Amino acid sequence: MKVLLLEDNKRLSKLIIESLEEKNYKVDWFDDGKKAIEAIYNGYDCFILDINVPGIDGLTLLKEIKAIDEKIPSIIISANVDLETIKEAYTRGCDEYLKKPFYMYELEKKLDKLCIKEDFIVRLKKQFSYDISKELLFDNNKQEVKLSKKEILLLNLFVKNRRKVISFEQIEQYVWEGDLTTNENIRALIKRIRKKLPEETIISQGGVGYKLNFLV
């Protein structure tokens, strides 16, 4: 996972970089907006932006980033708690606004929520165009692959609980929406959706359940 960090506080930047690198994020750090804006085309998965930095401010940089791709996850970190500034940040497309001071745990969780999900979807798109809102997959020939209601619920469950093993009980509760079912029915559903996803996207976990395979 490749992250651009714009922050002119060297001590805070060091803490963020060390924290994220421990989780296998690759972090490119900039303390000046003019330097950062030259790098935003370099294939970043997420952006972490302070507002008040030398050169070009974080909100202007955010606008440029969203002009490239409005779906790129972006987090504003700022000591500015002025409501109008916060509104402006969201208007320009920030996904989260984290007020300083904050715990590294908070930033990590926001990144996990925004960026790991996005990374999974990007990898899914290597073989399919994915539109969860319309319950459709499109293969490389642009042919529709229709998802059933249970398939879309199952896929949502995996995305929401990425990196976790999902038990048969969890699948029953979420996908069957409170109704009882059998493990055989769950296995049949897994088998059907596997045929519509890249090979080995969903892997078995010792008879306990299933999880997303992040090596796909």
Side-chain angles (χ1 to χ4, degrees):
M1 186 73 63
K2 188 177 178 183
V3 178
L4 184 148
L5 170 64
L6 175 62
E7 171 59 64
D8 62 339
N9 183 312
K10 292 184 179 180
R11 181 175 177 276
L12 176 58
S13 297
K14 185 173 184 292
L15 288 173
I16 292 173
I17 292 168
E18 289 177 350
S19 175
L20 297 186
E21 285 184 344
E22 285 182 3
K23 298 192 69 177
N24 297 318
Y25 284 90
K26 181 183 184 301
V27 184
D28 289 344
W29 170 53
F30 299 88
D31 60 1
D32 184 299
K34 285 184 178 179
K35 297 176 183 176
I37 201 168
E38 296 173 0
I40 62 175
Y41 299 94
N42 293 339
Y44 291 99
D45 300 296
C46 294
F47 292 85
I48 303 172
L49 311 171
D50 189 7
I51 294 177
N52 297 315
V53 295
I56 298 173
D57 68 87
L59 291 183
T60 300
L61 191 65
L62 175 64
K63 184 178 180 181
E64 294 295 323
I65 290 166
K66 292 297 182 176
I68 298 169
D69 185 348
E70 63 181 12
K71 294 183 180 180
I72 297 177
S74 302
I75 299 172
I76 294 292
I77 53 172
S78 178
N80 192 323
V81 295
D82 176 67
L83 180 58
E84 292 306 312
T85 301
I86 295 172
K87 285 182 178 179
E88 179 66 16
Y90 281 109
T91 298
R92 295 197 181 195
C94 90
D95 298 279
E96 294 281 357
Y97 192 106
L98 194 55
K99 299 173 185 177
K100 297 178 183 177
F102 54 83
Y103 293 104
M104 287 300 119
Y105 176 84
E106 295 179 85
L107 180 60
E108 289 175 7
K109 285 301 177 184
K110 291 185 185 300
L111 277 172
D112 286 349
K113 173 186 172 183
L114 292 169
C115 302
I116 292 178
K117 178 178 178 180
E118 180 67 17
D119 187 49
F120 166 69
I121 298 301
V122 167
R123 276 182 278 189
L124 193 59
K125 283 183 175 179
K126 286 182 179 179
Q127 293 192 25
F128 295 100
S129 297
Y130 179 55
D131 189 338
I132 207 165
S133 65
K134 295 181 181 178
E135 303 183 3
L136 291 174
L137 294 173
F138 295 90
D139 64 20
N140 287 334
N141 296 317
K142 304 300 181 183
Q143 297 297 310
E144 290 185 6
V145 180
K146 185 71 170 140
L147 296 176
S148 69
K149 179 181 178 181
K150 282 185 170 54
E151 288 168 349
I152 200 69
L153 286 171
L154 180 63
L155 195 53
N156 269 322
L157 180 63
F158 279 118
V159 171
K160 288 178 180 179
N161 294 276
R162 50 202 175 272
R163 298 192 185 280
K164 295 180 181 179
V165 175
I166 308 301
S167 68
F168 286 93
E169 291 77 11
Q170 288 174 294
I171 294 173
E172 178 184 56
Q173 183 177 7
Y174 188 87
V175 176
W176 270 261
E177 301 177 287
D179 293 334
L180 296 178
T181 191
T182 64
N183 286 355
E184 287 71 23
N185 285 340
I186 292 173
R187 291 190 181 98
L189 176 62
I190 293 289
K191 184 177 181 180
R192 289 197 302 272
I193 200 169
R194 275 174 167 166
K195 293 179 179 178
K196 301 179 181 182
L197 298 174
E199 188 176 354
E200 296 187 354
T201 296
I202 298 173
I203 55 177
S204 301
Q205 292 292 292
V208 176
Y210 302 89
K211 69 179 293 188
L212 288 178
N213 179 14
F214 276 77
L215 297 179
V216 172

